[in-house]
Amino acid sequence: MNSLSVDQQARAAKAYVFQELAKSKQGLEILQDKDFVGRLDIHFIKIFAIFAELYGYRHDCLDQLVDLVTICGKSWLERSPELQKIDQQRESDPQWYMSNQMLGGVCYVDRYAKNLTGIKERIPYFQDLGLTYLHLMPLFLSPQPLNDGGYAVSSYREVQPTLGSMEQLRELASELRKAGISLVLDLVFNHTSNEHRWARKAAEGDPEHSAMYWIFPDRSVPSAFEQTTREIFPDDHSGSFIQLPDGRFVWSTFHHFQWDLNYSNPAVFRAMAAEMLYLANVGVDFFRMDAVAFMWKQMNTDCENLPEVHKLLRAFNALCRIAAPSVLFKSEAIVHPDYVVQYIDRSECQLSYNPLQMALAWEALATRDASMLSQAIERRHNIARDCAWVNYVRSHDDIGWTFSDEDAQELGRNGTNHRKFLNAFFVNRYPGSFARGVPFQDNPKNGDCRISGTTASLAGLESMQDHAIERILLLYSIAMSTGGIPLIYLGDEVGQLNDYSYINDAAKTDDSRWVNRAHYPESRYAERHDPHTIPGKIYAGIRHLIHLRKTTGELAGGRAVGFYTGSPAILGYQRPGPHSTVLCLCNFADSAQWIGRDRFMRMPVEAMDLVSRYMINLRDAGIELRPYQFLWLRY
Ligand code: GLC
């Protein structure tokens, strides 16, 4: 830009912004708020530097910043005293989400409880279970009946009327907060639905709104982009673009009704910043940053995980630090592990899904060999300080085998063949498989395929195989103890099975992920207190795990450290605490397995197994683990 340092430029830009703000009554009010200005002083430089890099070539770059700071200031002035109090509390305890008391749950509002009122009525259950974090799947206005489970948003300021109203959402957020539960909502940043006001105007040909999306008059540029982009939902359309009725082409990474926003246009950045801060003021505690990998496009690249995406996220993060300081981000980047970690940073996303651990836990069940999972914990688990993984067993989506081919190769596995094996295993096309999954986006062109299915059905409960319950509990024991926030897909705690009814629904039949998005399993929940029933056994097991997690201080925050067990079927990891360490051992085989005593030579003679409360002698003859048994040894 010019020869001044970024610091000097930022100072000059801030002076300009302040001068412009001082011209209006509202601007003056913003400038008089000492808390706001104090935080702006700290974070302005980040936003300025990113704006200069992304949009500095534009003559109106500084005026864009004035608008942005105005949006932030207005939003802060409108933030309720209740939320400002939370901001203060969390600023003085910035690591609050690292606590071992943290426990997440996720559900669809309509499927789990009909509507927002139904969710409110379930708060006592959530509290009783121990939840401190509730992710409600997208609940905003969206096209009917096709809306990708709500991920096609038509307005970020309106709740889907069948679920309730914005006022009810605000009230729910407040009720949850009183119950000690944070509200997590998706921020679908990458795209809007084709029915969003911006999209409708774009479709009508309005130039200002057309510029909010990636719209091209003919196929030449789209075809050039498609030379290097991936097909994400090939069952919906091939390539990355779809054609509009007027002949133009619009970028749609996912479904044809989800149009990618064009962040190279600063108006899009500003508009989405306003939507984000609006929702922050409704009472959202965590934003799940949906499909972040795709937010920036660059010719001759795969248009995934580009450096600019990180800049955008950092700028959005800085806006929250200024105008809604308690709000945190969770990244949803289901991509190669090298890229997943790049999103995890206190100034970007403080939390991230752990898709590799999730996928490899299933991989280990299929192979009865924990080597890949163990390697991932050793090598891929280490994330920025003060950040946390969100560890899950299943989500509402498919399971994709996102491990690195190089990692697999080191263990003597060919990535492509191994994925083929896993797909065959989990859709029960492999002899001896216990899993009952359904293929998702089976792409014969490149052999890609992913897996749908509930935890219980994939673990063997549907096929009534031995050890299904042990498998479910084994996987949840890992999510509860490897470090970060464990996330329960609600219904899993009573062994929810696949729901094949989606096949008869024209709006869902082409999307097999609906098999694992079942309705509230009424009868299973009714049986949960009866230990003789299957739901009762699973529920008791999960409750026990929750209790153990919440009473084991070593599990707070941090991360798992690998422990070599010498037995491929047994996963080992340690959770060091300030005064003691917990060593977790998990047997992935359906037969008993041994760890020789030599592995414990540097440890005390005896350790307490927190799971069974028995003292275990580590020196006798080593340890035998029953099929799918896990031990948490404190020493
Ligand atoms: C995320 C969601 C998924 C959705 C996609 C597009 O990956 O988890 O359900 O289809 O984004 O929004």
Side-chain angles (χ1 to χ4, degrees), residues 148 151 191 233 254 258 288 290 332 396-397 513 517:
D148 189 21
Y151 282 98
H191 44 264
F233 286 168
F254 296 93
Q258 288 163 301
R288 173 191 183 274
D290 182 62
E332 192 246 354
H396 67 289
D397 278 333
R513 294 174 300 175
R517 301 170 178 176

Side-chain angles (χ1 to χ4, degrees), residues 38-57:
R39 291 196 302 267
L40 185 63
D41 274 338
I42 300 173
H43 299 285
F44 182 82
I45 183 165
K46 282 182 243 168
I47 299 172
F48 167 79
I50 293 168
F51 250 64
E53 281 179 57
L54 297 181
Y55 310 121
Y57 65 93

Side-chain angles (χ1 to χ4, degrees), residues 373-588:
L373 180 55
S374 174
Q375 181 197 51
I377 288 181
E378 184 74 44
R379 183 177 291 182
R380 305 279 187 183
H381 215 265
N382 191 6
I383 51 175
R385 269 191 64 226
D386 303 344
C387 290
W389 288 113
V390 171
N391 290 311
Y392 61 117
V393 174
R394 281 299 289 126
S395 74
H396 67 289
D397 278 333
D398 48 291
I399 301 178
W401 309 109
T402 56
F403 56 79
S404 128
D405 281 7
E406 294 72 31
D407 288 356
Q409 198 59 54
E410 274 182 40
L411 295 169
R413 286 178 198 140
N414 170 288
T416 310
N417 293 341
H418 200 50
R419 286 188 186 90
K420 271 194 199 142
F421 155 73
L422 292 168
N423 284 327
F425 185 92
F426 281 101
V427 300
N428 188 27
R429 284 190 207 133
Y430 193 85
S433 169
F434 46 76
R436 292 293 179 272
V438 181
F440 177 65
Q441 303 292 334
D442 213 343
N443 191 344
K445 273 197 273 176
N446 56 12
D448 271 358
C449 178
R450 284 113 78 183
I451 301 295
S452 300
T454 64
T455 297
S457 288
L458 294 178
L461 198 66
E462 185 177 325
S463 55
M464 306 213 294
Q465 304 256 343
D466 287 349
H467 302 306
I469 296 178
E470 286 103 311
R471 286 190 202 99
I472 296 171
L473 296 178
L474 178 70
L475 293 199
Y476 266 103
S477 82
I478 294 170
M480 296 277 175
S481 60
T482 39
I485 304 178
L487 182 60
I488 301 175
Y489 193 89
L490 291 167
D492 269 10
E493 74 280 25
V494 290
Q496 179 149 42
L497 295 172
N498 281 350
D499 175 0
Y500 297 95
S501 66
Y502 78 98
I503 294 168
N504 307 318
D505 181 340
K508 299 191 167 64
T509 190
D510 292 332
D511 187 339
S512 70
R513 294 174 300 175
W514 289 102
V515 87
N516 47 276
R517 301 170 178 176
H519 285 96
Y520 183 82
E522 194 86 53
S523 57
R524 292 190 161 263
Y525 273 108
E527 286 177 350
R528 72 183 188 277
H529 296 300
D530 181 349
H532 304 295
T533 62
I534 288 173
K537 288 188 179 128
I538 299 173
Y539 186 68
I542 298 270
R543 297 283 316 216
H544 182 48
L545 278 170
I546 294 172
H547 170 76
L548 285 177
R549 168 178 168 79
K550 294 207 178 205
T551 51
T552 305
E554 294 90 334
L555 303 185
R559 64 188 192 91
V561 180
F563 175 88
Y564 177 66
T565 66
S567 159
I570 304 182
L571 173 72
Y573 52 91
Q574 288 174 300
R575 299 302 319 277
H579 310 295
S580 50
T581 292
V582 173
L583 167 64
C584 301
L585 300 170
C586 312
N587 180 8
F588 277 86

Side-chain angles (χ1 to χ4, degrees), residues 133-158:
Y133 162 122
L134 180 66
H135 174 198
L136 296 178
M137 296 298 293
L139 42 76
F140 299 110
L141 189 71
S142 56
Q144 297 300 329
L146 289 179
N147 55 42
D148 189 21
Y151 282 98
V153 177
S154 300
S155 164
Y156 298 89
R157 299 190 185 215
E158 277 168 84

Side-chain angles (χ1 to χ4, degrees), residues 96-97 101-106 126 130-136 176 180-184 286-288 330 351 353 390 485-488 490:
W96 65 275
Y97 54 91
Q101 299 307 310
M102 289 296 290
L103 177 70
V106 51
F126 299 147
L131 297 192
T132 60
Y133 162 122
L134 180 66
H135 174 198
L136 296 178
L176 285 168
I181 302 172
S182 299
L183 175 63
V184 188
F286 292 94
F287 283 118
R288 173 191 183 274
K330 169 172 74 167
L351 303 180
Y353 280 108
V390 171
I485 304 178
L487 182 60
I488 301 175
L490 291 167

